[in-house]
Amino acid sequence: MDTGLAPPAAQAAERLVDPFARAISYLRVSVTDRCDFRCVYCMSENMTFLPKAEILSLEELDRLCSAFVRMGVRKLRLTGGEPLVRRNVMSLVRNLGRHIEAGALDELTLTTNGSQLAKYAHELYQAGVRRINVSLDTLDPAKFTALTRWGKLDQVLDGLKAAKQAGLAVKINAVALKGGNDDEFDRLVAWSGDEGFDLVFIEVMPMGDIGGEARLDQYLPLSLVRANLAKNWTLDETDYRTGGPARYFTVRETGRRLGFITPLTHNFCESCNRVRLTCTGTLYMCLGQDDAADLRTPLRASSDDAALDDAIRSAIARKPKGHDFVIDRRHKAPAVARHMSVTGG
């Protein structure tokens, strides 16, 4: 039976390299566009989600991910929406874990809002996941509900406790929002240190209509955040990398890492090794560009992967040098129309 695995020699021979000599080793996969939160910087409150008929089955997602692993991808991150709200998603996680066991994949990880972690943390660890990212922008219960519209902070904190007990390393992702959580940054640094979590601040990204919230009103440059944090914390530079775009420091007082993802104030594209696959089988070669490739059609056209492999290679050959994120100060329009939940966080 074909397991979808490839020997190391075959992987090396088929490595994906873009036009700027960047090896593509990191695939982020949105398994669903649905979410149980409606965060004010990510979605409008009344979202229209994709019809189920357009969504790839879990078996199709496995086949697509396995094709990328065969071509040299070493890191898979499952995202959404909220990946853990997809029915039977753990069957996909367990199946992808076989690539970890075979040595074809270095890391299988997950980005989540934490709402379902209490239920799935132990199972994630058993499937081969060792590290997760949890989106958490505030430690104030009322503010948390306001920012997520539907979320409950206690549910996420219970999930984080379960993750620690299961042995999962946790990185907290906090979007910096002017007037939203900018009075809590020191508290988040201290709390993350106490809990043993790394922390990453992210600039708000201009993606999708969010229902009345103005991007310019939300935007807070992380250069300012970092300067303010440096008044109370000693931030030591480090060359630590996870394969993503964050630039890390070590907080001397806590011993934990503090990262900054700055798509607006500092373009991080020169070392980009990532592509994003949506739950419909659309491949985005750049988060901040609209050019995309349809992988669902060749996937469903044949049980043979030849056409699929050709479509993947053709897409990577069009990967741009960088994104063009900008906050439109005249019209306050998003840089790209699709929501982050469609592309995958």
Side-chain angles (χ1 to χ4, degrees):
M1 183 179 69
D2 183 6
T3 63
L5 299 175
Q11 286 187 341
E14 298 179 358
R15 285 181 64 197
L16 295 171
V17 179
D18 77 3
F20 305 95
R22 296 171 300 194
I24 306 305
S25 58
Y26 183 3
L27 176 66
R28 301 174 69 106
V29 185
S30 175
V31 301
T32 179
D33 66 325
R34 297 171 187 266
C35 188
D36 50 352
F37 291 176
R38 295 291 184 274
C39 295
V40 298
Y41 53 80
C42 182
M43 294 184 176
S44 62
E45 187 165 9
N46 300 307
M47 288 289 293
T48 300
F49 292 109
L50 295 165
K52 291 186 178 180
E54 295 185 15
I55 306 297
L56 296 181
S57 69
L58 296 176
E59 292 77 14
E60 288 174 324
L61 284 168
D62 183 4
R63 184 178 160 200
L64 263 176
C65 290
S66 297
F68 276 92
V69 172
R70 187 174 66 248
M71 293 176 163
V73 161
R74 302 294 303 183
K75 178 177 178 179
L76 286 176
R77 178 177 296 279
L78 303 184
T79 70
E82 170 48 47
L84 295 179
V85 301
R86 175 148 186 186
R87 182 175 297 182
N88 297 325
V89 70
M90 286 309 304
S91 65
L92 174 64
V93 180
R94 287 191 297 269
N95 285 339
L96 292 175
R98 75 189 187 276
H99 297 300
I100 296 282
E101 294 179 9
L105 192 64
D106 294 329
E107 186 174 35
L108 174 62
T109 185
L110 185 87
T111 293
T112 174
N113 64 25
S115 67
Q116 306 300 312
L117 272 180
K119 179 178 180 181
Y120 290 116
H122 183 68
E123 201 171 346
L124 285 168
Y125 189 90
Q126 287 183 317
V129 175
R130 294 294 179 266
R131 187 171 65 90
I132 59 172
N133 290 0
V134 179
S135 301
L136 179 63
D137 305 316
T138 176
L139 296 169
D140 180 278
K143 193 182 294 184
F144 183 87
T145 297
L147 286 176
T148 63
R149 294 190 177 105
W150 296 359
K152 303 297 182 185
L153 180 61
D154 285 347
Q155 186 178 4
V156 174
L157 295 179
D158 287 344
L160 287 167
K161 181 179 179 180
K164 288 175 66 175
Q165 292 174 342
L168 294 170
V170 174
K171 182 176 75 177
I172 300 296
N173 286 341
V175 175
L177 299 166
K178 183 168 65 176
N181 61 354
D182 47 358
D183 59 341
E184 288 190 76
F185 296 157
D186 287 307
R187 183 184 179 190
L188 283 166
V189 171
W191 172 80
S192 296
D194 290 342
E195 294 291 332
F197 301 150
D198 290 343
L199 172 64
V200 171
F201 287 111
I202 306 172
E203 283 178 340
V204 65
M205 296 190 187
M207 298 185 67
D209 177 18
I210 52 175
E213 298 283 347
R215 296 289 181 190
L216 188 57
D217 293 340
Q218 292 179 335
Y219 173 60
L220 182 62
L222 289 191
S223 55
L224 180 61
V225 174
R226 178 180 155 191
N228 286 334
L229 287 172
K231 297 175 183 177
N232 300 311
W233 307 94
T234 309
L235 306 183
D236 296 323
E237 293 191 21
T238 175
D239 58 1
Y240 175 77
R241 294 288 184 270
T242 64
R247 295 169 181 261
Y248 284 92
F249 297 79
T250 298
V251 182
R252 193 180 301 175
E253 290 81 0
T254 69
R256 302 305 307 183
R257 296 185 184 97
L258 175 64
F260 298 91
I261 296 180
T262 54
L264 293 169
T265 59
H266 178 80
N267 187 297
F268 47 66
C269 303
E270 66 276 2
S271 60
C272 182
N273 61 346
R274 299 168 296 284
V275 290
R276 285 172 164 83
L277 180 69
T278 75
C279 55
T280 63
T282 300
L283 184 72
Y284 284 96
M285 290 71 79
C286 175
L287 179 64
Q289 302 279 4
D290 281 323
D291 186 31
D294 170 24
L295 300 186
R296 183 176 63 187
T297 297
L299 178 76
R300 291 180 171 175
S302 172
S303 59
D304 180 88
D305 283 343
L308 175 62
D309 290 359
D310 287 344
I312 291 172
R313 294 191 180 283
S314 176
I316 300 304
R318 304 201 310 269
K319 183 172 170 63
K321 188 173 184 179
H323 64 245
D324 298 318
F325 275 151
V326 65
I327 297 288
D328 188 327
R329 293 178 181 271
R330 291 174 301 168
H331 307 293
K332 299 184 180 180
V336 292
R338 67 185 185 277
H339 288 86
M340 179 66 107
S341 60
V342 173
T343 313

